[in-house]
Amino acid sequence: MKLLKFLFLSVIVIATGANAQESENARQMGHTDQNKFRQMKDLLATPNESRTASGAPGYAYTQQKVNYVMDIRLDEANNRIYGEEKITYHNNSKDHLEYLWLQLDQNMRAKNSKTPDITTETFNAPFNGPQVFTNANLKDRFDGGFKIEYVKNDDGTDLSHHINQTMMRINLSKPLAPGEVFKFQIKWWYNINDINVDGGRSGLETFPDGNNNYTIAQFYPRLCVYDNVEGWQNMQFWGRSEFALEFGDFEVKITVPADHILEATGDLQNPKDVLTREQQKRFNQARKSFTDPVFIVTQEEAEINEKGRSTKTKTWHFKADQVRDFAFASSRKYIWDAMAVNINGRAVMAISLYPKEGNPLWEEHSTRVVANTLEEYSKLTFDYPYSKAVSVHSERQGMEYPMICFNYGRPNPDGSYDERTKRGMIGVITHEIGHNFFPMIVNSDERQWTWMDEGLNSFVETLAELDYDPNFFTGNLPKDIVPYMGGDQSHISPIMSQGDYVHQFGPNAYTKPAAGLYMLRHTIMGPELFDYAFRTYSQRWMFKHPTPADFFRTMEDASAMDLDWFWRGWFYTTDYTDIGVKEVKQYYLTDQPTERAMKIAELYNMNLEDYKDRLVYYAEAEDGTVPNDAKSVEDFDVLNNYLESLPDEERSKLVKAPKHFYQVTYEKPGGLVMPIIVELTYEDGSKEREMYPAQIWRYNEHEVTKVYRTDKAITRIVVDPDLETADVDTTNNAWPKQVQKSEFDKFKDKVRG
């Protein structure tokens, strides 16, 4: 044994001498730390008393509160919204505020809006048909936007203000001190856009019978967020990146035609004034039905109702506490059903409103999907705190607000529908109802970081959809995003990009974050560690304003896992995964000196015959198979004698010496480090899985080697057999190498075909 140690040390000394000049050059050049596992202190904000290093809110964390009292009138004859609001702004920060900023989102549709001006145009409309050509070139621009009638102080005097596109600044006569409250009022109106003609996240849909479906949101001037990260979040609304809003209490009265059915954020305060006795009775039945929806308004009743036109009005009165926004839907065409959902012993109402054009698909699935979503999201985050969740059908919408959302998924006119339509409807309802958790409660800044609500929500949506239907195609699994990850780098943006300028908005903000979190849960962390950390984040930041750093830090803090390598690679770069098998060498034991052993012996003037009872050699099988005359382990007396000389305690810890040895080199052409997941297939057909943590790449990010010692010959090695890591090129994933197309090439063939 002393001789072997001497030979090993000699080889090391020789190698060190050969690389001396190279090492000296490295010392002279110098470099910065570019290791994939370096910590993220260069990317994350410094922790402070407001936001701690653990990812939790600090003792000095504050946030503002805004209360609204509104009177709203829907003018069906002219398709207008008229409104008056009284706003109470609580300055809970430690800052003196010189002004307040409000969002005027409807102004993106004003005639003088700059939103159309930032869109590149090409003149190809004639090839798309006369309607497209007319809308693009002959139609006068829709007269949208807020018409502000007044902005006044609480005492009725005029309040100085200035409008800059989609933002309005309230000029305070004196700074608003910490702890002070400021009250003011605004009166306005605007023309409601037709979502099928003018687009928009809210508006109206017109039916051939002359009736409208009103899905109304962003309908009132509302306060911007002021916090200790951004100050005022007053980035202009260009139509894509969504909203940053403060929590508060709402009291809203909405006047609509008397034959309309209406739902909104909050709890209805006057059911006896707006519902018939039968409708009240049915809704009370629904409160006790936990298995099937109960119809409050049937299709037959809705079809009768849609044929009339009441000239009278009703006022629906709602209150909502601790919500960040308010929306409502109103139409005389609505079918209305509801059922109760058991959220940890508390009954929450799952509700759907839809015209007959949504059936039979909507009555079969909508309310059940709402219920399933509330149950599954509550398991992974926190118990749903509100009293209800409402799904409203609109032909081309998918948009979320507290307690209410607007969803597409319409069957053919004859009521038939294909699997794609059904899946799309279930998916959008799950997604939009899920937004009640992110960002309606875990209230991230959507204008700045779209992925924090869309990506996190899409991830939990995936789990909820698979619970509703185990065969559901979610589109959010790692294997689903391979075409995007392996695409043209000039049209891919890092996830950590502000939403208005990213390329491929959907994959960037929705599917890549969702697939990454699924990978974290399923492959990297495991469900137990992931779920605890994710639940910790969700509960820490309920009704607060988290940032990306708060999420990243909490996930590590609650799991004892260093994930900086994952956040840095998956969220801050456009690198992709590509891990494969570079080389496989097979070795066998022999009692004959190998060529390498003889060269070493010659170098040190050794006679190997003198050590034949003390040495065991190994040789590489050049053709990948073990020669017939190869020695079995049992044939080596020198090895067996050594083992027999060991104390019983040490010998009991040893396993049977293997007959086969494989040295496998794994390569990583891709820029991302990921765990190496390996499936070994043996000569008898049995299989075995190994997973090496991503940290295996910490010293060499280009290639690593592992040795497999086994009694059975290995016939096949496959990397990432279940496509868990979004590997963009699977042609190098197997040994022996087989001619096969990568997942990306398969996708391209499918598109071309």
Side-chain angles (χ1 to χ4, degrees):
M1 297 304 291
K2 291 182 179 179
L3 172 64
L4 294 179
K5 290 181 180 179
F6 169 74
L7 292 180
F8 176 74
L9 291 172
S10 299
V11 173
I12 295 297
V13 170
I14 293 171
T16 302
N19 293 324
Q21 186 59 49
E22 182 180 333
S23 298
E24 179 62 26
N25 291 340
R27 282 195 295 269
Q28 291 176 357
M29 293 173 61
H31 65 282
T32 59
D33 183 4
Q34 295 301 310
N35 191 283
K36 299 289 186 180
F37 296 92
R38 66 192 186 276
Q39 297 296 284
M40 288 175 59
K41 304 193 186 300
D42 58 323
L43 296 175
L44 302 184
T46 303
N48 53 50
E49 63 273 14
S50 297
R51 295 169 188 271
T52 68
S54 70
Y59 69 88
Y61 175 85
T62 63
Q63 68 184 41
Q64 313 294 65
K65 182 178 181 180
V66 190
N67 296 336
Y68 299 85
V69 176
M70 289 188 277
D71 283 295
I72 306 299
R73 179 168 63 89
L74 171 63
D75 181 351
E76 186 178 35
N78 297 297
N79 287 325
R80 288 180 179 175
I81 291 288
Y82 291 90
E84 298 179 53
E85 65 181 324
K86 295 181 179 180
I87 302 173
T88 303
Y89 186 86
H90 297 259
N91 182 15
N92 296 327
S93 76
K94 300 183 185 306
D95 304 325
H96 290 73
L97 305 180
E98 301 173 79
Y99 40 76
L100 308 180
W101 280 102
L102 285 81
Q103 304 180 56
L104 303 179
D105 309 291
Q106 292 295 331
N107 281 4
M108 67 159 287
R109 280 186 286 275
K111 281 199 168 185
N112 63 349
S113 171
K114 297 295 183 183
T115 298
D117 298 344
I118 67 172
T119 302
T120 300
E121 296 179 287
T122 56
F123 187 72
N124 62 0
F127 303 103
N128 295 326
Q131 181 178 358
V132 174
F133 177 81
T134 300
N135 290 339
N137 301 291
L138 305 180
K139 189 176 179 181
D140 189 22
R141 183 184 288 188
F142 174 70
D143 184 17
F146 284 110
K147 320 303 187 199
I148 304 294
E149 294 193 11
Y150 66 67
V151 180
K152 295 181 179 293
N153 286 293
D154 190 40
D155 61 7
T157 59
D158 290 339
L159 178 57
S160 174
H161 63 281
H162 179 81
I163 296 175
N164 175 14
Q165 299 184 67
T166 61
M167 294 290 162
M168 178 167 68
R169 187 183 66 235
I170 300 297
N171 302 316
L172 301 177
S173 58
K174 65 175 183 176
L176 186 64
E180 287 188 345
V181 171
F182 182 73
K183 297 182 180 181
F184 61 107
Q185 48 191 316
I186 307 174
K187 184 178 182 180
W188 77 94
W189 65 272
Y190 70 87
N191 294 313
I192 305 172
N193 54 297
D194 187 323
I195 59 173
N196 291 335
V197 177
D198 307 302
R201 296 166 183 269
S202 65
L204 65 88
E205 175 190 359
T206 302
F207 290 87
D209 62 9
N211 278 301
N212 292 329
N213 177 18
Y214 296 95
T215 48
I216 305 299
Q218 289 90 250
F219 64 91
Y220 62 100
R222 50 193 185 160
L223 265 294
C224 298
V225 167
Y226 181 85
D227 64 19
N228 49 23
V229 177
E230 295 285 339
W232 283 107
Q233 172 48 287
N234 55 7
M235 297 175 69
Q236 293 290 336
F237 179 50
W238 296 103
R240 184 158 80 176
S241 293
E242 293 175 1
F243 315 107
L245 298 163
E246 301 283 13
F247 287 105
D249 302 334
F250 286 73
E251 182 172 359
V252 184
K253 295 179 180 178
I254 309 167
T255 301
V256 298
D259 51 359
H260 274 213
I261 295 296
L262 187 146
E263 258 291 8
T265 302
D267 296 319
L268 182 62
Q269 302 297 299
N270 60 335
K272 294 181 180 180
D273 296 335
V274 294
L275 303 180
T276 66
R277 289 184 178 179
E278 183 62 27
Q279 289 168 348
Q280 294 177 64
K281 177 182 176 181
R282 293 173 180 175
F283 195 85
N284 287 331
Q285 291 173 346
R287 293 182 187 276
K288 302 175 184 178
S289 177
F290 291 86
T291 55
D292 295 302
V294 173
F295 285 98
I296 292 91
V297 175
T298 67
Q299 179 166 335
E300 181 181 8
E301 292 166 341
E303 288 177 349
I304 294 173
N305 196 46
E306 70 182 6
K307 295 176 182 178
R309 291 291 187 279
S310 177
T311 57
K312 298 180 180 180
T313 62
K314 287 183 179 178
T315 298
W316 300 62
H317 183 191
F318 291 88
K319 285 185 178 180
D321 294 337
Q322 207 170 13
V323 295
R324 62 168 239 164
D325 201 1
F326 192 99
F328 68 92
S330 183
S331 178
R332 63 176 55 85
K333 290 179 65 67
Y334 285 150
I335 302 165
W336 181 8
D337 71 46
M339 65 182 289
V341 189
N342 183 356
I343 302 298
N344 200 20
R346 186 173 60 88
V348 172
M349 297 305 297
I351 300 170
S352 294
L353 299 178
Y354 47 97
K356 67 178 186 296
E357 285 77 5
N359 267 341
L361 185 58
W362 272 68
E363 71 176 35
E364 291 174 353
H365 290 285
S366 178
T367 299
R368 290 183 171 88
V369 173
V370 174
N372 179 75
T373 304
L374 295 178
E375 290 172 345
E376 294 307 307
Y377 273 69
S378 294
K379 291 176 185 177
L380 202 61
T381 58
F382 44 77
D383 289 351
Y384 183 68
Y386 297 134
S387 62
K388 67 181 181 183
V390 184
S391 170
V392 182
H393 179 42
S394 180
E395 185 180 20
R396 298 183 185 177
Q397 285 192 289
M399 196 59 202
E400 73 281 358
Y401 306 93
M403 306 185 213
I404 189 170
C405 57
F406 313 143
N407 305 308
Y408 59 79
R410 181 162 295 176
N412 298 317
D414 64 358
S416 64
Y417 57 86
D418 57 19
E419 187 64 23
R420 181 177 181 180
T421 301
K422 171 186 170 182
R423 189 175 66 237
M425 174 219 171
I426 293 172
V428 71
I429 293 176
T430 303
H431 183 88
E432 306 305 345
I433 290 293
H435 270 308
N436 277 288
F437 295 79
F438 307 98
M440 300 303 154
I441 297 171
V442 182
N443 190 15
S444 55
D445 180 353
E446 300 176 84
R447 187 67 49 86
Q448 184 70 252
W449 305 117
T450 307
W451 70 268
M452 285 199 74
D453 74 291
E454 299 296 357
L456 268 64
N457 183 43
S458 295
F459 159 67
V460 188
E461 169 200 349
T462 299
L463 302 183
E465 288 166 347
L466 292 174
D467 180 82
Y468 191 79
D469 178 359
N471 298 315
F472 197 90
F473 174 75
T474 69
N476 291 327
L477 300 181
K479 63 182 180 180
D480 300 328
I481 64 165
V482 166
Y484 168 72
M485 297 292 288
D488 181 0
Q489 282 286 326
S490 67
H491 284 80
I492 300 177
S493 304
I495 294 174
M496 288 294 291
S497 302
Q498 198 273 327
D500 286 326
Y501 63 77
V502 300
H503 295 285
Q504 302 190 70
F505 183 72
N508 173 275
Y510 292 70
T511 53
K512 185 182 176 184
L517 294 177
Y518 187 90
M519 195 185 308
L520 269 184
R521 183 178 192 264
H522 182 73
T523 303
I524 297 170
M525 300 176 69
E528 185 176 1
L529 277 178
F530 180 93
D531 290 357
Y532 182 87
F534 193 77
R535 191 176 298 111
T536 298
Y537 165 74
S538 302
Q539 294 180 4
R540 278 180 174 179
W541 290 96
M542 288 178 68
F543 302 109
K544 295 182 176 67
H545 303 295
T547 67
D550 300 318
F551 176 67
F552 298 150
R553 285 170 167 150
T554 295
M555 291 300 292
E556 296 188 17
D557 184 69
S559 67
M561 291 195 70
D562 181 0
L563 299 170
D564 282 19
W565 61 272
F566 182 80
W567 310 129
R568 185 185 291 275
W570 195 261
F571 283 80
Y572 284 87
T573 78
T574 61
D575 283 342
Y576 53 82
T577 306
D578 183 10
I579 299 173
V581 180
K582 181 180 181 180
E583 182 181 57
V584 177
K585 291 183 178 181
Q586 187 171 354
Y587 297 92
Y588 61 91
L589 298 180
T590 176
D591 58 359
Q592 299 301 313
T594 61
E595 182 178 354
R596 178 173 180 272
M598 289 188 289
K599 286 183 178 180
I600 294 175
E602 181 181 358
L603 179 64
Y604 292 99
N605 195 24
M606 296 164 47
N607 182 3
L608 292 178
E609 282 295 315
D610 297 338
Y611 303 95
K612 63 181 180 181
D613 295 332
R614 296 166 58 188
L615 297 178
V616 177
Y617 306 99
Y618 66 89
E620 182 179 349
E622 295 182 359
D623 61 353
T625 60
V626 178
N628 293 329
D629 60 350
K631 300 289 184 179
S632 66
V633 175
E634 291 82 356
D635 293 336
F636 292 96
D637 292 337
V638 60
L639 179 58
N640 287 324
N641 291 339
Y642 168 74
L643 296 177
E644 289 297 326
S645 70
L646 294 175
D648 291 344
E649 183 180 353
E650 288 191 38
R651 193 164 63 248
S652 66
K653 298 177 182 178
L654 300 176
V655 297
K656 182 182 178 182
K659 297 179 180 179
H660 300 272
F661 299 84
Y662 298 85
Q663 179 180 292
V664 182
T665 301
Y666 297 103
E667 63 178 348
K668 190 180 69 60
L672 292 179
V673 290
M674 282 289 166
I676 304 177
I677 308 166
V678 182
E679 182 177 81
L680 306 175
T681 302
Y682 297 101
E683 57 187 344
D684 62 0
S686 61
K687 295 183 179 182
E688 188 177 4
R689 288 280 180 98
E690 296 280 357
M691 191 185 86
Y692 308 109
Q695 283 76 8
I696 193 173
W697 304 102
R698 68 197 185 283
Y699 294 128
N700 185 343
E701 69 163 288
H702 303 293
E703 62 179 50
V704 295
T705 58
K706 296 297 291 186
V707 175
Y708 300 96
R709 307 160 181 87
T710 175
D711 278 338
K712 297 180 291 186
I714 296 175
T715 59
R716 186 163 176 76
I717 301 173
V718 178
V719 172
D720 196 6
D722 295 330
L723 306 177
E724 297 178 46
T725 63
D727 195 315
V728 302
D729 182 6
T730 56
T731 61
N732 62 352
N733 282 32
W735 172 86
K737 186 176 179 64
Q738 294 182 343
V739 178
Q740 59 176 328
K741 289 186 176 181
S742 69
E743 292 300 309
F744 185 42
D745 288 333
K746 292 177 185 177
F747 174 80
K748 290 192 292 185
D749 290 346
K750 182 178 179 181
V751 172
R752 290 169 182 159

